[in-house]
Amino acid sequence: MNEYIQRVIDWIEEHLKDEFSLEGLASYMGYSPYYCSFKFHQATGISIRRYILLRRLYLSTEDLANNRKIIDIAFDYHYSSQEAYSRAFKTVFGVSPREFQVNQMPIQSFAKLTIRQGEDGCKMNISRETEVEQLKSRKRELFDKDVLNILNGQFMYEEFKNKKLMGDSDYAPFNEAMCVNATTTSIFDHAFIQTRAAGHNESEENYRNKVIEPLHNLFEKNYNYIVLWFGEDMFCQMNLLTILAYLEQSQYKGKVFLNSFREDEFKVSQIELALGSYYYVYEEVLVNHRKPTNEVLPVMYQAIDLFLELQTENNRVITYILKNKHLPTSELLKRLFEVFPTIGYGDLQYMELIDKTK
């Protein structure tokens, strides 16, 4: 079945700039349109038309970055008008094509799906050292002693610190998963620690040692620059939102840079962030599970949409698990990682969902 779905994906990819025909796909595959649609949704967690929409819009961002005319891009991807393309673009990314073209903001990637990649399927295309050297040539001041790099997770922190990738600057990991469990309006205080520890079924002491203590440089030192290293998936973006909200809560006055990247391809998109509204977004999204009223970066906008969807009872992950609950847990885990790369969940988060659903 994986081979069948991969053939469907390959056919779709070859025809992304053609007018889509489910009947044409079905004829090529030798099955009914209903069967093709059903099996695709079962294997990937989204509909064929949704997959095509996201792939076309994602690919169109390259055209925008190359300053092509928006109306030409719209017609290339079979939109009836520039207005129709712009509406679809803003629904997915939270900004208009023109805003994206002018400001070159980071977005969440939507790469071609590959079902059951081989061992070589997800290797990095570029080393961290090479990419960091390129950043250094553009922004040397971020490698000095008055800089704190906050990295998403212990593994990345240890690599950066041990190799001194950012020179003489300081390093700190954020070892959390803010996309799951309840949180509080105040960040990193006693109520926050109590709530988060309870959600993770940990003692407060263990939580402090794992999450709070590694951030001591953030609490105790003053920095002119803070550089945030967070991936573009939903898991990382909710962690990023929490750190940005804390910087506002603590009235940080220095400059903040985001180095956004994909986990499977360490290609960094760097942007300077202006603090001012992230605390309100944190409250709306992570505390109250509501859509934000303030504008955020497209990559965070996409992650918030996904986060809020996952709070619903019959979200796409739960539906996928229910449709595939006959599979052994190890096999189901592998498929969840393949099918939902933009979520960013780890084994623990998926195992909890599988246990609740099965």
Side-chain angles (χ1 to χ4, degrees):
M1 183 49 65
N2 286 347
E3 184 180 343
Y4 169 82
I5 297 301
Q6 193 60 58
R7 285 180 60 213
V8 171
I9 292 170
D10 291 343
W11 186 92
I12 290 170
E13 291 288 329
E14 289 173 11
H15 295 82
L16 275 175
K17 286 197 172 182
D18 302 333
E19 188 170 354
F20 174 68
S21 166
L22 182 57
E23 289 72 21
L25 170 61
S27 175
Y28 171 78
M29 295 301 300
Y31 292 95
S32 71
Y34 171 80
Y35 182 84
C36 290
S37 295
F38 175 77
K39 286 299 180 182
F40 185 90
H41 192 280
Q42 183 183 46
T44 66
I46 59 174
S47 70
I48 290 176
R49 292 191 182 279
R50 179 69 177 170
Y51 177 81
I52 291 170
L53 168 75
L54 294 176
R55 284 291 290 142
R56 283 176 171 174
L57 289 174
Y58 174 63
L59 291 174
S60 78
T61 62
E62 295 182 19
D63 296 308
L64 291 169
N66 290 325
N67 286 317
R68 288 193 62 211
K69 290 183 179 179
I70 295 174
I71 192 167
D72 291 341
I73 298 170
F75 291 144
D76 270 0
Y77 289 99
H78 283 275
Y79 283 90
S80 59
S81 64
Q82 180 174 327
E83 290 72 23
Y85 166 68
S86 296
R87 282 196 301 272
F89 193 96
K90 186 157 188 175
T91 298
V92 171
F93 297 117
V95 295
S96 70
R98 183 60 181 158
E99 287 175 295
F100 176 85
Q101 195 168 51
V102 169
N103 298 305
Q104 298 287 300
M105 297 170 281
I107 60 166
Q108 191 179 71
S109 303
F110 192 77
K112 174 187 174 182
L113 283 179
T114 303
I115 305 297
R116 189 51 51 80
Q117 292 179 330
E119 289 183 5
D120 295 331
C122 279
K123 288 189 175 177
M124 286 187 183
N125 293 335
I126 188 166
S127 71
R128 295 190 195 275
E129 291 91 341
T130 302
E131 183 69 359
V132 171
E133 277 302 313
Q134 292 176 7
L135 290 176
K136 190 173 184 178
S137 67
R138 300 195 298 267
K139 215 77 176 168
R140 185 168 290 274
E141 64 268 31
L142 298 183
F143 290 73
D144 292 333
K145 291 181 179 179
D146 61 348
V147 179
L148 175 63
N149 296 276
I150 301 180
L151 302 122
N152 194 71
Q154 190 70 21
F155 179 82
M156 190 176 183
Y157 159 73
E158 289 176 359
E159 180 182 3
F160 269 64
K161 185 181 180 185
N162 292 340
K163 294 180 179 179
K164 297 192 78 173
L165 292 186
M166 296 297 291
D168 293 325
S169 57
D170 286 341
Y171 307 85
F174 188 35
N175 298 323
E176 248 291 11
M178 295 302 299
C179 56
V180 295
N181 304 323
T183 189
T184 59
T185 53
S186 54
I187 304 168
F188 300 143
D189 68 357
H190 182 62
F192 178 93
I193 292 167
Q194 273 188 319
T195 302
R196 297 300 298 170
H200 291 306
N201 294 314
E202 287 189 6
S203 68
E204 289 182 34
E205 181 182 3
N206 285 345
Y207 185 86
R208 286 180 185 276
N209 290 336
K210 179 181 176 183
V211 179
I212 304 301
E213 178 55 31
L215 290 170
H216 66 274
N217 280 340
L218 175 63
F219 307 137
E220 295 170 9
K221 291 187 179 182
N222 293 319
Y223 295 94
N224 289 328
Y225 303 94
I226 290 181
V227 183
L228 306 173
W229 296 80
F230 287 85
E232 61 183 35
D233 60 52
M234 183 269 297
F235 184 108
C236 291
Q237 288 295 306
M238 295 305 98
N239 282 359
L240 170 64
L241 176 57
T242 303
I243 294 293
L244 289 170
Y246 173 75
L247 293 178
E248 291 183 356
Q249 178 185 282
S250 61
Q251 299 183 325
Y252 173 71
K253 300 300 183 187
K255 291 188 175 183
V256 180
F257 288 86
L258 168 64
N259 286 347
S260 177
F261 58 90
R262 276 174 57 181
E263 293 288 352
D264 61 334
E265 181 187 26
F266 196 71
K267 187 71 177 173
V268 176
S269 173
Q270 185 177 83
I271 186 171
E272 184 175 353
L273 300 179
L275 298 178
S277 61
Y278 290 104
Y279 181 78
Y280 300 108
V281 176
Y282 167 87
E283 270 196 314
E284 289 172 315
V285 174
L286 287 174
V287 178
N288 298 312
H289 296 172
R290 294 200 304 260
K291 282 195 171 185
T293 52
N294 290 280
E295 238 182 47
V296 294
L297 292 173
V299 64
M300 187 174 286
Y301 179 90
Q302 294 169 271
I304 288 171
D305 255 8
L306 186 49
F307 170 79
L308 294 176
E309 183 198 337
L310 293 176
Q311 308 313 304
T312 61
E313 190 173 342
N314 295 312
N315 63 67
R316 72 179 83 171
V317 178
I318 295 296
T319 301
Y320 186 88
I321 293 172
L322 285 170
K323 286 182 176 179
N324 295 277
K325 62 182 179 181
H326 59 284
L327 296 172
T329 299
S330 59
E331 174 68 15
L332 184 50
L333 266 177
K334 288 178 186 175
R335 294 199 183 185
L336 287 166
F337 286 123
E338 290 172 352
V339 169
F340 301 107
T342 57
I343 292 177
Y345 275 171
D347 291 31
L348 287 176
Q349 289 80 41
Y350 278 132
M351 283 302 300
E352 285 182 12
L353 288 178
I354 290 170
D355 291 342
K356 287 178 184 175
T357 306
K358 275 195 168 185

